[in-house]
Structures are given as C-alpha cells and as structure tokens.
Amino acid sequence: MIRALPAILERHPNVVYIVSGVTHPHIRKRDGEKYREGLRALAEELGVSAQLILNNRFVSEEELVEHVGAADIYITPYKQEAQIVSGTLAIALGAGKAIVSTPYWHARELLAEKRGVIVPFENPKAIADAVLALLDNPAERHAMRKRAYLYSRGTTWPKTARNYMASFQRARFERSLQPRPAQADDDGLGQHRPDG
C-alpha cells in the first residue's frame, strides 16, 4: 500500500494512511522489527512519510472499531491467498466501509457482488487506481458502503445464533425421522465389535 501512496497523493494530497497494531509476536521473535522499519524506510524513500502513521501498539477492540469507523476507505493488502479470516475486514464490512483488498480467501467471499474492490497481490498501481476511483466517485463509494453494510446484517451475532439454532433443530428433526436402532454388538461408542 505504501508504494501506492505517491499516485494517490498526486490527486488527493490530504490522504493519510494509518497502520494500526504491533508486529506479530512470532515475527518479532524471528525478525525483530525489520518489517516495520522497512515500511518506515520505504515511506521515507518515496517521500510519503508525513502521510503514513504507524500506530505501533496493541489496539483494543473498541479503539480498533473507532479507527475503522473513521476511515473513508479500508484497505487489506495481504500478500497470501490463504488468509482464512480477517477480523478487521469483518469490522469494516459491518461498519459499511468502502473496501479495497487483495484476493485472499476471506476477502473474495465477503467482497463479492461489488461489496468491495479486489486488486491483484503485490500490485501498488492497482491499489492506487482502486482508491482513486473511490475517492473520485463519492456516489459509487457510498453505494459500495451500502452494499457492504446490508450484506453484513446477515452475519450479526443474533442472526448467526438463530441460524445455528435452526440448523440444530433441523438435524434433530431429521434424526427423529430415522432413529438408529440399538444393536447388541454396539460398544456404546458407536463402534461395532467384530464378530469373532
């Protein structure tokens, strides 16, 4: 994302990119703060360090929700497709944010049907183009936000709990239609003893 900033700032010089959170403990143990220091050096090299805020500390859930809520555009530039979940992506979707993301598994699912913009991995130009398109077109940005928010209503905790309960009730009902007969050679664990 930092490599996308120069192109974005040419047209929108008031943009600020905020990265919240600390380096993952496993990465810090292995590499120290090499990654974060590399981000800082890259921002300096590209002349965008004044528009980059590295909030290098643990952020509470409440504070994280505030950060996402304050954003005009939420960006997840993950580098690996096998990213199964992203809590901050779910928060951004639920907050009705315009979202730009790389095509990791969770993002492809949540951002389908124009609920966000998917860009290729490791492609700063595509990120810049997507962000600029959203900044330059407030109507489309708002429509995307609305689609994201409306979709997220189906994933709230009360709705999820109701869906689980309906699934459990369906399974119980279906089992009642076809009960398993008790068998003399059953060991009580659902395993049959071999004849012998």
Side-chain angles (χ1 to χ4, degrees), residues 28-178:
R28 187 174 356 171
K29 186 176 180 181
R30 186 184 68 223
D31 300 329
E33 290 293 344
K34 187 169 113 180
Y35 177 71
R36 189 172 298 274
E37 290 164 7
L39 295 179
R40 223 179 253 117
L42 177 62
E44 191 70 38
E45 175 189 326
L46 296 173
V48 298
S49 55
Q51 287 79 22
L52 173 66
I53 297 173
L54 293 173
N55 189 8
N56 187 18
R57 62 184 182 78
F58 177 78
V59 180
S60 69
E61 187 174 331
E62 181 180 281
E63 201 174 0
L64 179 62
V65 169
E66 287 177 14
H67 288 187
V68 171
D72 291 316
I73 299 173
Y74 171 81
I75 302 169
T76 55
Y78 292 147
K79 295 180 178 186
Q80 297 178 19
E81 182 181 38
Q83 181 77 28
I84 296 172
V85 296
S86 169
T88 58
L89 176 61
I91 290 169
L93 193 80
K97 292 297 165 182
I99 301 169
V100 175
S101 180
T102 51
Y104 59 94
W105 294 340
H106 194 210
R108 284 195 320 230
E109 177 186 342
L110 289 185
L111 303 181
E113 299 176 13
K114 297 184 177 183
R115 291 185 293 269
V117 178
I118 299 289
V119 298
F121 291 109
E122 304 278 346
N123 192 327
K125 182 182 181 330
I127 292 173
D129 290 347
V131 169
L132 287 169
L134 290 168
L135 290 174
D136 292 342
N137 190 341
E140 176 51 33
R141 189 172 71 240
H142 180 70
M144 180 184 292
R145 293 178 63 214
K146 187 173 183 177
R147 287 188 295 268
Y149 178 79
L150 292 174
Y151 177 80
S152 75
R153 297 307 84 199
T155 63
T156 61
W157 282 116
K159 182 94 175 202
T160 300
R162 282 194 296 275
N163 288 341
Y164 272 112
M165 288 305 296
S167 179
F168 297 149
Q169 289 169 347
R170 220 174 16 258
R172 183 176 179 210
F173 175 73
E174 289 170 6
R175 174 55 67 201
S176 74
L177 296 178
Q178 297 179 2

Side-chain angles (χ1 to χ4, degrees), residues 1-2 5-6 8-9 12-19 43 46-54:
M1 172 58 202
I2 293 172
L5 275 176
I8 295 167
L9 291 167
H12 296 275
N14 60 338
V15 164
V16 174
Y17 181 52
I18 301 172
V19 179
L46 296 173
V48 298
S49 55
Q51 287 79 22
L52 173 66
I53 297 173
L54 293 173

